[in-house]
Amino acid sequence: MLIKKIQQLIGNTPLIDLQINIPKQSHIYAKLEMFNPGGSIKDRLGQYMIQDGIDKGKINATTTIIEPTAGNTGIGVALATQEHHLPTILVVPEKFSYEKQTLMKALGAKLINTSSEDGIKGAIKKAREIAAKTPNSYVPMQFENPANPAAYYHTLAPELIQDLDQPIDAFVAGAGSGGTFAGITQYLKEQNPATQSIVVEPEGSILNGGPEHPHKTEGIGVEFIPPFFKNVQIDQTLTISDADAFKYVRQMAAQQGLFIGSSSGAALAASLKVAEQLPENSTIVTVFPDSSERYMSENIYQKPQN
Ligand code: MET
């Protein structure tokens, strides 16, 4: 495949029909989003939000782009802004992985860290403060920009329909900003109103009522209800422990040769629970947002001691 720039490879990722033991002989199909060039599902978002800002006249040739992120959205934004030669400032709580922070800087973005205790809310606040002081700046703001769900509604969701011959009984996905879940759910329910939508969060996130506490599963989990959830029907919210998420991270590498991050592990744990609930032979679709390789510094494959 001959290409001229790496950004051409964003999207059109493979969908794997997982050959694992699934309850009731159902099938779990997982979208392998680590195959995007920046290594995660958020390449789609970075590209879409920056193009949207340009199309709407909010970004010109010298606009500084500022975005709060757990890292993957920042990598996606930096890939897009590099293409358009736009100065970029990414605001990241310290706790997020060394690899993701290093990659954002390698792409040319300036990184500002906020404290881990202040969570993503702290990074959002800081990004707004920096923007207020920076002339000709633009904050795409993944947490409320309608271009976020739209990115997935227009790209990933149609790819799923194209790749599968049979109807989708359930769609299972984690939520951080909530854009992936909301955009894909909206598209799939328009195609087939019988498709159930199940959102996944780690223990410590507040969708199922909390309590709020730190968790090791990275890139998903919310500190406030995503505004995008107002417009979509959520059939079920599943809360997955770090222990379960990381168990499947290890299992996928050991048995399937698949390097998945912890949010993918949580998505798989939830998909297996959904398989138990649904009738025989159901089709369940989920999303694996990124790879374990960006969490080596966090010893992602280390088994808990107790
Ligand atoms: N996964 C998104 C990001 O990388 C949102 C994270 S919110 C915990 O920025």
Side-chain angles (χ1 to χ4, degrees):
M1 190 193 303
L2 185 65
I3 58 165
K4 286 208 166 135
K5 50 184 184 179
I6 200 69
Q7 289 86 350
Q8 282 174 248
L9 296 182
I10 296 172
N12 292 309
T13 52
L15 182 67
I16 190 166
D17 177 358
L18 285 173
Q19 304 299 304
I20 57 173
N21 211 352
I22 298 166
K24 302 199 186 160
Q25 293 166 335
S26 284
H27 282 268
I28 297 175
Y29 295 87
K31 192 75 165 147
L32 299 180
E33 289 294 300
M34 65 289 280
F35 282 89
N36 284 293
S40 94
I41 189 166
K42 301 296 177 181
D43 287 4
R44 297 175 187 265
L45 177 58
Q47 187 177 55
Y48 204 92
M49 285 195 303
I50 295 305
Q51 193 56 52
D52 178 74
I54 293 170
D55 293 345
K56 294 193 167 130
K58 293 174 181 165
I59 299 174
N60 63 32
T62 56
T63 303
T64 299
I65 307 301
I66 304 166
E67 180 71 1
T69 175
N72 280 339
T73 301
I75 293 169
V77 165
L79 261 183
T81 55
Q82 189 188 76
E83 195 180 350
H84 296 284
H85 311 286
L86 299 166
T88 303
I89 302 172
L90 300 167
V91 187
V92 188
E94 275 168 342
K95 62 183 171 187
F96 292 116
S97 93
Y98 166 82
E99 288 86 339
K100 290 190 289 188
Q101 302 201 37
T102 305
L103 291 171
M104 286 182 271
K105 286 188 270 190
L107 287 167
K110 183 172 168 197
L111 221 68
I112 305 280
N113 279 128
T114 49
S115 83
S116 297
E117 300 80 65
D118 293 344
I120 203 71
K121 277 185 194 161
I124 293 172
K125 187 164 168 265
K126 184 76 184 173
R128 289 201 165 112
E129 285 168 14
I130 299 168
K133 285 189 239 150
T134 311
N136 187 17
S137 60
Y138 176 63
V139 186
M141 193 50 79
Q142 58 170 330
F143 299 97
E144 52 190 48
N145 188 341
N148 180 352
Y152 298 99
Y153 179 96
H154 290 290
T155 72
L156 200 158
E159 290 169 27
L160 294 174
I161 297 292
Q162 235 164 48
D163 288 342
L164 289 168
D165 294 325
Q166 72 275 39
I168 298 170
D169 298 303
F171 170 64
V172 180
S177 69
T180 300
F181 176 82
I184 299 173
T185 293
Q186 194 192 333
Y187 188 92
L188 294 181
K189 282 188 185 276
E190 281 169 16
Q191 299 289 313
N192 174 10
T195 302
Q196 288 188 34
S197 58
I198 296 99
V199 68
V200 185
E201 63 168 2
E203 280 177 359
S205 163
I206 62 153
L207 290 175
N208 256 336
E212 196 175 353
H213 59 77
H215 47 82
K216 284 195 187 158
T217 304
E218 193 160 318
I220 59 168
V222 305
E223 297 167 21
F224 52 88
I225 307 286
F228 312 128
F229 284 10
K230 279 194 208 104
N231 312 322
V232 290
Q233 190 193 322
I234 301 175
D235 295 304
Q236 201 182 155
T237 303
L238 287 175
T239 308
I240 303 294
S241 68
D242 284 339
D244 272 354
F246 285 86
K247 180 178 94 182
Y248 289 110
V249 165
R250 293 192 299 275
Q251 203 184 93
M252 282 299 97
Q255 297 173 12
Q256 305 294 316
L258 249 178
F259 300 136
I260 62 172
S262 51
S263 67
S264 309
L268 179 55
S271 299
L272 288 162
K273 281 186 204 240
V274 171
E276 272 167 30
Q277 301 165 356
L278 292 182
E280 302 273 314
N281 268 309
S282 292
T283 295
I284 299 159
V285 170
T286 193
V287 169
F288 287 171
D290 69 3
S291 151
S292 60
E293 289 186 275
R294 55 190 44 181
Y295 305 102
M296 288 299 146
S297 64
E298 297 176 357
N299 292 318
I300 187 167
Y301 288 113
Q302 196 167 51
K303 257 193 185 158
Q305 292 314 303
N306 38 32

